[in-house]
Amino acid sequence: MAESDGRPLPTTTPPHVLIFPFPAQGHITSMLNLAELLCLSNLRVTFLNSDYNHRRLLQFTSVKSRFAVYPELFYMLGIADGLPTDHPRCGEQILDLFESMRSVTKPLFKDLLLSIRPPLDCVISDGGLDFPLDVAGEVGIPVVHFRTIGASCFWTYFCIPDLIEAGELPVRGGEEEMDRLITKVPGAEGFLRCRDLPSLCRGRDLSHPYLQGMVSATRLSSKAYALILNTFPDLEGPILTQINSHCHKMYPIGPIHEHLRTKLKNLKPTQESSSSSSSSLWEEDRTCLGWLNGQPPKSVLYVNFGSITVMKPDDIIEIWHGLINSKQRFLWVMRQGSVVAELGSNSNSNTSTFPEELVKGYPGEEHMVVSGWVPQKEVLDHGAVGGFLTHSGWNSTLETIVAGVPMICLPYFADQQVNSRFTSEVWKLGLDMKDACERKVVEKVVTELMVERREELGSRAARMAELARRSVGLDGSSGRNLEALIEDIRSMRRS
Ligand code: UDP
């Protein structure tokens, strides 16, 4: 192979891969990073987004110029997600996408697979969606599943039929019952409780289509050509071993954002990674970085609940008072539309932002509130940040691990309940305050994280950050797995 700009030049027509994420921020971010990693290895990638997110990505990011350096290797397409434009696509309502995509997107997806040129050699589809495996199978294209959740939650979903068979589900209700230990998730015995199961398991109705859909999509991964996971063995090794006994070809290549950052840095050592690699579906407000510059090292608790969480005003008030009472500096970022307008209201009307009266009542230099969206990775990497109060989304968890920042976990739904338990009990990188959103609890855990256990949690977080960075080096497990995945995809090229 010839070399130019550090990157090998292709000597033959590259294999053509379609990457198809579930239409939500965390899924798009990690799968777009994978797309860039594949382009860096001279694979041709078509990135298929929902029309809705395709427009937002073009509007709020420099995705076009980011990928312009891969001429003839990167293409973007949109496809209908089946929901009206004014659907909120957040909170529990994000689940509506599963139904609408099955009825509207699925037939369009089949047409696309048949008509796209050059023909596809491989589809990498979000393993949370069940239909791409069937559809691509019908037209003879191998499908690799990519799960954007952690291995621990993937494995928990995988085990749910065993939990039901053993009578460990449904959860019968009541606080004591929520603390009952689960025994049928191998590798998680002794610490995984009912309250730590994915939030869909909290309902009594185990035939609920969303729970059933998630379990069957997860089980389907063992039938896919291979499974890609955004994780690394130093973090989730024992669970990966469990999954491997069902999904024989498995590529843990995470943390993907750090993997990409490392590769780009090796190619262009002088270039700072910045918002140019953003995949935000909201406009980024960078003013908080200036405010952080004026704060002492590791003094600020960063608070952000991600792209889907919808919060009750009461919870916001409890968190606010807990933060104020802890007397710690904080930067709280609230996405527009992330507060239920009124309790009990239809969340189509989630238009409210942070309650202004709270901020006005507590003027001060020691906190900043942003009603919007910030460049999170840059915030976490900022030296003034000493902790993160997070909803425990998987991307946020990995970004925080790489930044070496300890966490307070307040999970909202889906995989977050599992992630927060592993963060606190297994990796011991933070404190889990799930189901206890009260000001006294907030004050206590913030003081514990930022003051009392600062050294202990900080040094453990620094150690895990080092392991994460090592994993994505050329000799690291994720580095080697990515190379093996790329070779595998090359071998799929149709003659
Ligand atoms: N994010 C961001 N700015 C924000 C809030 C979130 O850039 O103000 C990014 C964050 O860095 C992460 C993603 O949005 O990459 C959220 O994904 P995650 O899996 O953590 O949670 P989700 O939003 O899917 O619940």
Side-chain angles (χ1 to χ4, degrees), residues 128-147:
L129 291 170
D130 56 5
F131 67 84
L133 186 67
D134 292 343
V135 174
E138 280 168 32
V139 299
I141 305 171
V143 174
V144 175
H145 266 183
F146 179 115
R147 264 333 263 271

Side-chain angles (χ1 to χ4, degrees), residues 26-81:
H27 299 244
I28 293 169
T29 300
S30 47
M31 292 183 82
L32 201 55
N33 286 339
L34 175 67
E36 188 162 0
L37 283 168
L38 298 189
C39 289
L40 278 167
S41 290
N42 287 307
L43 302 194
R44 180 186 174 115
V45 175
T46 298
F47 194 79
L48 182 63
N49 236 333
S50 66
D51 287 326
Y52 179 84
N53 288 326
H54 181 64
R55 280 193 297 274
R56 291 167 75 199
L57 209 54
L58 292 178
Q59 185 179 354
F60 297 123
T61 68
S62 51
V63 66
K64 274 199 162 164
S65 56
R66 170 179 169 188
F67 282 93
V69 294
Y70 310 104
E72 297 183 26
L73 286 179
F74 182 77
Y75 298 84
M76 288 176 84
L77 286 178
I79 192 165
D81 67 13

Side-chain angles (χ1 to χ4, degrees), residues 177-251:
E177 171 72 353
M178 289 297 271
D179 288 330
R180 171 166 55 85
L181 283 173
I182 294 293
T183 67
K184 294 289 174 194
V185 178
E189 304 95 339
F191 64 87
L192 199 71
R193 305 159 301 177
C194 289
R195 74 168 75 250
D196 307 314
L197 293 173
S199 62
L200 285 168
C201 297
R202 291 185 171 209
R204 306 284 310 260
D205 178 11
L206 297 177
S207 63
H208 194 289
Y210 293 143
L211 178 60
Q212 289 296 326
M214 196 46 81
V215 172
S216 68
T218 303
R219 289 249 159 174
L220 266 184
S221 289
S222 58
K223 301 206 168 70
Y225 178 85
L227 172 65
I228 303 173
L229 288 165
N230 188 6
T231 190
F232 57 106
D234 282 317
L235 189 68
E236 298 191 282
I239 299 290
L240 286 170
T241 306
Q242 298 285 348
I243 298 173
N244 209 193
S245 60
H246 297 268
C247 304
H248 301 301
K249 205 177 255 201
M250 200 175 71
Y251 295 107

Side-chain angles (χ1 to χ4, degrees), residues 96-395:
D96 295 347
L97 279 162
F98 287 105
E99 199 43 50
S100 68
M101 290 183 79
R102 216 170 278 137
S103 56
V104 175
T105 315
K106 183 176 173 179
L108 299 173
F109 182 68
K110 183 166 185 180
D111 294 346
L112 180 109
L113 295 189
L114 290 169
S115 61
I116 195 166
R117 292 293 174 267
L120 292 167
D121 298 291
C122 168
V123 169
I124 299 181
S125 72
D126 196 312
L129 291 170
D130 56 5
F131 67 84
L133 186 67
D134 292 343
V135 174
E138 280 168 32
V139 299
I141 305 171
V143 174
V144 175
H145 266 183
F146 179 115
R147 264 333 263 271
T148 59
I149 55 176
S152 309
C153 187
F154 175 89
W155 179 233
T156 307
Y157 278 131
F158 202 96
C159 294
I160 282 176
D162 303 337
L163 267 64
I164 296 173
E165 202 184 311
E168 298 206 323
L169 276 178
V171 181
R172 285 175 288 278
E175 271 308 290
E176 258 176 49
E177 171 72 353
M178 289 297 271
D179 288 330
R180 171 166 55 85
L181 283 173
I182 294 293
T183 67
K184 294 289 174 194
V185 178
E189 304 95 339
F191 64 87
L192 199 71
R193 305 159 301 177
C194 289
R195 74 168 75 250
D196 307 314
L197 293 173
S199 62
L200 285 168
C201 297
R202 291 185 171 209
R204 306 284 310 260
D205 178 11
L206 297 177
S207 63
H208 194 289
Y210 293 143
L211 178 60
Q212 289 296 326
M214 196 46 81
V215 172
S216 68
T218 303
R219 289 249 159 174
L220 266 184
S221 289
S222 58
K223 301 206 168 70
Y225 178 85
L227 172 65
I228 303 173
L229 288 165
N230 188 6
T231 190
F232 57 106
D234 282 317
L235 189 68
E236 298 191 282
I239 299 290
L240 286 170
T241 306
Q242 298 285 348
I243 298 173
N244 209 193
S245 60
H246 297 268
C247 304
H248 301 301
K249 205 177 255 201
M250 200 175 71
Y251 295 107
I253 58 168
I256 289 185
H257 71 286
E258 184 60 17
H259 212 148
L260 178 62
R261 180 156 60 180
T262 305
K263 281 228 182 269
L264 291 175
K265 211 167 177 178
N266 289 343
L267 282 175
K268 297 206 171 99
T270 50
Q271 197 169 304
E272 277 297 303
S273 85
S274 72
S275 59
S276 63
S277 64
S278 149
S279 48
S280 292
L281 300 174
W282 287 264
E283 186 168 13
E284 286 179 352
D285 179 344
R286 301 178 61 81
T287 50
C288 65
L289 295 170
W291 179 79
L292 283 173
N293 286 341
Q295 307 304 316
K298 294 191 191 301
S299 67
V300 175
L301 182 75
Y302 168 53
V303 184
N304 194 326
F305 300 107
S307 67
I308 299 171
T309 304
V310 174
M311 301 187 78
K312 297 186 202 123
D314 283 358
D315 287 344
I316 290 172
I317 291 167
E318 290 304 306
I319 296 170
W320 175 267
H321 287 294
L323 290 172
I324 294 287
N325 295 345
S326 77
K327 301 190 176 54
Q328 299 300 308
R329 293 164 204 259
F330 63 89
L331 163 65
W332 188 343
V333 182
M334 297 273 305
R335 194 185 80 248
Q336 297 278 343
S338 63
V339 186
V340 180
E342 275 170 39
L343 280 182
S345 74
N346 176 338
S347 44
N348 266 330
S349 56
N350 289 341
T351 50
S352 48
T353 54
F354 197 86
E356 278 301 315
E357 58 281 11
L358 282 184
V359 187
K360 279 196 202 119
Y362 293 90
E365 306 272 297
E366 306 209 324
H367 57 258
M368 180 179 191
V369 173
V370 177
S371 283
W373 186 261
V374 298
Q376 176 162 300
K377 287 199 293 297
E378 287 178 68
V379 170
L380 287 168
D381 282 342
H382 197 288
V385 171
F388 183 14
L389 170 50
T390 171
H391 69 308
S392 296
W394 187 243
N395 291 284

